[in-house]
Amino acid sequence: MKVVVFSTRPYDRTFLEEANRLAGSPHELTFFDTRLTAHSAHFAQGFEAVCAFVNDALGKPELEILARHGIRLVALRCSGFNNVDLEAAARLKIALARVPAYSPDAIAEHAVALMLALNRRIHKAYARVREGNFALDGLLGFDMRGKTAGIVGTGRIGLNVARILKGFGCEVLASDPSPNPELAQLGGEYTSFDDLLGRCDIISLHCPLTPATHHLIGRGAIARMKPGVMLINTSRGAVMDARAVIAGLKSGKVGNVGLDVYEEEGDLFFENLSDTVIRDDVFVRLMTFPNVLITGHQGFFTREAMTAIAETTVANLSAFEAHGAPLHAVSVALLA
């Protein structure tokens, strides 16, 4: 198939080209650095399929342009699909595919890395030592052993976080509308969301973004948390209300925040903006707190995960070409 790939960086091309080379029937891949928007969607003219990433725009306007250009498949090289208007895609008869799982270890380990870095102030210590400052003031942390950690969402990533934290000796509580029996085998315990908020020293978010989870962590939820709670979000940015978190940080209710995602990250992440003025005042305010650590959506970024993403993406393309349906289809039913 002739496929146009949006939002690509050199590493995307490396892994996709290798996976495509190893495929039985390689596809013709054309790469663009630009994000998919209503303006750039016209680049799809002459292609059969589009390969898009997590921050590409796939709303009704973009999908209608793609449909006019004859696009029959949008292959997402990510697991989330909250950036897609599924009803519009169904109406336009554009098939959607995603990568449902690649390396839950990668994101789980990154979430725990954020916890450890925040707890022991690794980011601050690194900067100090580089300047010859070896003072320990302001670097006081706590033992992970004996602390209560809450996991919101116990899919493969959430379970891996629970497994790692049990290894540290944490008590693990979890909240999920669909409990996974594996959690009990790990020594974790399910409880209500409200109970989790009130009991946990650390809360890590691993749930999908749905209407029910939009701003799940807002002012009300933060008010019910323990003073000094550590919040970690490696799921989707809009699960957390950034303004509410800022208010919690200012009051001292929230003790530490680790983010690998941000609600308005589309115009920020995956770009080098070091020579520009960041105009998102909420994001800039978050960066001013010494107890906030932000990474630019890199939780997935390991060799193993990138290989799996590329292989699954190519497999979706090949299955659609051969049978008219991708291996991992996305439908409106998934929103239920």
Side-chain angles (χ1 to χ4, degrees):
M1 296 179 70
K2 294 184 65 177
V3 184
V4 55
V5 189
F6 286 92
S7 296
T8 59
R9 297 294 179 266
Y11 46 81
D12 294 303
R13 300 177 190 187
T14 296
F15 285 97
L16 283 170
E17 286 175 343
E18 178 63 12
N20 192 44
R21 184 184 67 81
L22 295 174
S25 179
H27 304 280
E28 183 181 332
L29 305 180
T30 299
F31 298 97
F32 286 108
D33 294 342
T34 186
R35 287 174 55 207
L36 174 56
T37 64
H39 174 73
S40 63
H42 294 286
F43 296 167
Q45 185 172 6
F47 293 89
E48 302 166 83
V50 161
C51 180
F53 195 43
V54 63
N55 287 328
D56 285 317
L58 287 160
K60 179 182 175 182
E62 293 80 14
L63 290 169
E64 287 179 342
I65 295 169
L66 296 180
R68 288 201 299 271
H69 289 313
I71 295 298
R72 299 182 295 132
L73 170 69
V74 171
L76 300 169
R77 55 185 193 277
C78 54
S79 61
F81 48 88
N82 53 280
N83 57 326
V84 184
D85 186 330
L86 298 185
E87 293 181 351
R91 177 176 55 81
L92 295 166
K93 293 182 169 50
I94 295 178
L96 293 168
R98 66 172 181 148
V99 181
Y102 31 93
S103 175
D105 296 303
I107 298 173
E109 290 168 7
H110 192 76
V112 176
L114 289 173
M115 295 177 199
L116 296 176
L118 281 164
N119 176 24
R120 303 310 298 269
R121 310 290 194 262
I122 300 299
H123 54 304
K124 294 177 67 177
Y126 173 80
R128 284 189 187 185
V129 170
R130 295 276 293 182
E131 296 177 354
N133 181 354
F134 304 99
L136 299 184
D137 306 85
L139 303 182
L140 187 66
F142 56 81
D143 288 355
M144 296 286 285
R145 179 174 295 278
K147 296 300 182 292
T148 302
I151 311 296
V152 181
T154 50
R156 295 177 63 189
I157 296 170
L159 281 178
N160 276 353
V161 173
R163 182 178 293 110
I164 295 169
L165 293 178
K166 287 301 293 184
F168 280 116
C170 294
E171 177 186 2
V172 173
L173 302 180
S175 172
D176 195 307
S178 301
N180 190 324
E182 288 186 46
L183 183 77
Q185 298 171 17
L186 295 173
E189 172 192 347
Y190 278 106
T191 188
S192 68
F193 180 62
D194 279 348
D195 185 56
L196 182 150
L197 294 179
R199 292 171 58 188
C200 290
D201 305 292
I202 303 167
I203 297 175
S204 193
L205 305 177
H206 302 285
C207 52
L209 177 59
T210 67
T213 62
H214 182 265
H215 285 185
L216 181 68
I217 304 300
R219 291 180 183 270
I222 291 171
R224 301 195 295 277
M225 295 177 187
K226 293 177 68 172
V229 65
M230 177 186 290
L231 298 178
I232 304 293
N233 189 10
T234 57
S235 58
R236 288 291 179 266
V239 173
M240 181 178 284
D241 181 348
R243 288 179 172 83
V245 171
I246 289 171
L249 286 162
K250 289 169 67 176
S251 71
K253 182 74 169 183
V254 176
N256 295 279
V257 175
L259 304 176
D260 189 50
V261 290
Y262 173 64
E263 185 169 2
E264 303 297 333
E265 69 179 56
D267 294 326
L268 298 172
F269 290 180
F270 308 113
E271 304 290 342
N272 181 358
L273 304 179
S274 57
D275 292 329
T276 63
V277 175
I278 295 177
R279 302 183 185 279
D280 186 327
D281 292 341
V282 175
F283 187 79
V284 171
R285 183 67 179 100
L286 279 171
M287 291 196 299
T288 66
F289 290 96
N291 50 346
V292 172
L293 181 55
I294 303 173
T295 53
H297 208 138
Q298 72 178 76
F300 74 99
F301 199 49
T302 66
R303 292 183 184 88
E304 292 81 359
M306 290 295 291
T307 298
I309 289 169
E311 290 176 349
T312 303
T313 298
V314 171
N316 275 326
L317 294 170
S318 297
F320 184 84
E321 182 180 38
H323 310 294
L327 287 179
H328 304 287
V330 181
S331 68
V332 176
L334 289 176
L335 289 178

